[in-house]
Amino acid sequence: MANTKIDEKLQKIAKDLLESGEVSLIIGYAKGSNPQRMRPVFITKAEEAGKLSFSHYAVQDLAVFLKKPEVKKFGKIGIVVKGCDEKAVNALIQEYQISRDNIKIIGIECNGVIRQNLADKGETGVSESTVYDKCLICEEHIPVLYDFLIESEEPKLALSGNVKPYYGIEKLESMSAEEKNAFWAKEFDKCIKCYACRQACPLCYCSRCIVEKNMPQWIDTNSEETGNAQWNLIRAYHLSGRCIGCGECERACPVNIPLMLINEKMAKDVYNLFGYKSGLDINAKPVFGVFSESDFNDFIK
Ligand code: SF4
Ligand code: SF4
Ligand code: SF4
């Protein structure tokens, strides 16, 4: 496939950054094995910048690679991001996992990415029915922070107005405690403890996850009722106030557990209680990393 104008701009920025030595590595997207697939690519030489590309099939959140020691060793890194993914970069900076000084953010204005199952069937158009749910409630089509911005040349995704924020979690919230328990017991029963959700998450970066600690054994590692609930709930709590809603955990889950329902419910509650949204401000303290005497609970006073 021929380069688009976005590809040309992207390649030029990457080439200049590598040639000038401002970065040693660029993480971006390259065309995949078929026109409806894009894959992550790692560019270390200016002459390889021509591999970089972007399209509505660029679904992966590349910020996940920033936590890897193999990537960190490059020092100064450039990364291609959509608005949702860029919030993960911000959250990693907020949590002192990466330094703003070591990152060049190449932001791309994004109108939505096409669901992979539809892309595999040949879907080419961005519409309310073809993009991921996160795109329907997206507030960051343009990344909040960037060193370079490549604007979209395509028309904005027109929404019908019927789309509600937070993935329709009102239905879940309207359930009784027993109904919620039954709903999640059924969903978690499918979990095979593959940990793909964790591996795909840019903000799950503990060098040793609690599920792998066995002295003492905190969580049952079998994929059975108690262990599955423990795993999914502990992960939800570890991500509360931190999840930036990229949806990669849910996309990675091989048994289609609606993990974004949990993530968005936690995000909604954190916002309602503390007025905080993750990944919007690199100078903000993570909401559960600080306390205030004006907090509405008095247990800490
Ligand atoms: S959530 Fe926004 S930035 Fe992310 S893929 Fe969808 S439209 Fe693009
Ligand atoms: S928990 Fe899921 S949606 Fe949230 S940041 Fe991690 S991968 Fe993205
Ligand atoms: S990706 Fe799905 S099946 Fe695998 S551990 Fe996570 S929730 Fe369980």
Side-chain angles (χ1 to χ4, degrees):
M1 251 174 23
N3 278 347
T4 63
K5 282 190 183 150
I6 289 180
D7 290 354
E8 283 167 15
K9 287 179 192 165
L10 190 53
Q11 292 165 11
K12 166 100 174 58
I13 293 167
K15 186 166 176 284
D16 291 349
L17 282 172
L18 286 162
E19 267 174 359
S20 65
E22 286 178 82
V23 302
S24 311
L25 170 72
I26 303 249
I27 309 171
Y29 303 95
K31 294 184 173 90
S33 49
N34 69 46
Q36 275 81 38
R37 287 264 173 178
M38 302 222 80
R39 62 183 172 85
V41 69
F42 300 82
I43 306 284
T44 55
K45 296 187 185 104
E47 56 269 29
E48 292 173 347
K51 289 183 185 169
L52 288 164
S53 183
F54 186 82
S55 77
H56 296 308
Y57 306 114
V59 289
Q60 302 92 341
D61 183 349
L62 303 179
V64 72
F65 296 113
L66 294 175
K67 65 187 184 181
K68 308 264 182 212
E70 304 89 317
V71 166
K72 281 187 169 179
K73 74 178 183 194
F74 280 89
K76 305 248 180 206
I77 298 164
I79 184 164
V80 178
V81 285
K82 311 183 291 291
C84 50
D85 311 338
E86 198 283 318
K87 290 187 286 178
V89 178
N90 295 347
L92 289 168
I93 295 170
Q94 282 179 273
E95 295 180 6
Y96 302 105
Q97 295 305 307
I98 54 175
S99 160
R100 175 71 182 100
D101 295 339
N102 286 342
I103 296 284
K104 289 284 179 202
I105 301 169
I106 308 170
I108 302 207
E109 184 181 11
C110 168
N111 295 324
V113 285
I114 298 175
R115 288 173 181 272
Q116 215 153 37
N117 61 329
L118 299 178
D120 288 342
K121 287 183 193 155
E123 181 60 60
T124 57
V126 165
S127 73
E128 205 169 283
S129 59
T130 61
V131 297
Y132 284 93
D133 283 2
K134 64 175 181 174
C135 307
L136 302 175
I137 57 169
C138 178
E139 293 177 348
E140 288 86 24
H141 294 283
I142 292 178
V144 290
L145 182 69
Y146 53 81
D147 297 292
F148 305 90
L149 176 66
I150 302 176
E151 291 176 359
S152 169
E153 289 149 12
E154 297 178 3
K156 304 274 175 289
L157 173 61
L159 298 179
S160 63
N162 297 326
V163 178
K164 295 209 174 94
Y166 298 115
Y167 290 72
I169 54 179
E170 294 90 345
K171 190 173 164 206
L172 196 68
E173 288 174 327
S174 69
M175 291 179 187
S176 66
E178 291 73 28
E179 287 168 336
K180 281 181 201 159
N181 203 25
F183 175 86
W184 286 114
K186 194 168 165 216
E187 290 298 337
F188 294 156
D189 189 47
K190 298 189 283 186
C191 180
I192 54 169
K193 287 272 180 74
C194 65
Y195 304 134
C197 48
R198 177 188 73 185
Q199 296 311 109
C201 177
L203 293 167
C204 263
Y205 53 69
C206 294
S207 53
R208 197 160 168 227
C209 177
I210 192 167
V211 287
E212 270 133 24
K213 290 183 180 162
N214 56 8
M215 289 192 339
Q217 181 87 53
W218 293 104
I219 297 180
D220 190 341
T221 49
N222 293 326
S223 66
E224 48 70 49
E225 190 179 345
T226 309
N228 283 359
Q230 284 174 338
W231 159 240
N232 282 284
L233 293 177
I234 281 177
R235 187 166 179 279
Y237 275 107
H238 282 191
L239 268 301
S240 64
R242 301 176 59 239
C243 168
I244 48 80
C246 65
E248 286 293 82
C249 49
E250 185 175 283
R251 196 173 69 84
C253 180
V255 292
N256 300 319
I257 298 174
L259 296 170
M260 285 305 287
L261 270 180
I262 308 175
N263 299 334
E264 289 297 308
K265 170 65 178 159
M266 298 304 253
K268 181 181 177 186
D269 285 356
V270 166
Y271 182 68
N272 288 340
L273 290 169
F274 303 103
Y276 179 86
K277 290 185 183 178
S278 180
L280 293 183
D281 178 3
I282 57 170
N283 296 312
K285 296 288 177 207
V287 68
F288 293 130
V290 288
F291 76 92
S292 158
E293 288 198 1
S294 60
D295 279 351
F296 57 87
N297 279 332
D298 59 6
F299 69 95
I300 206 151
K301 290 176 187 163

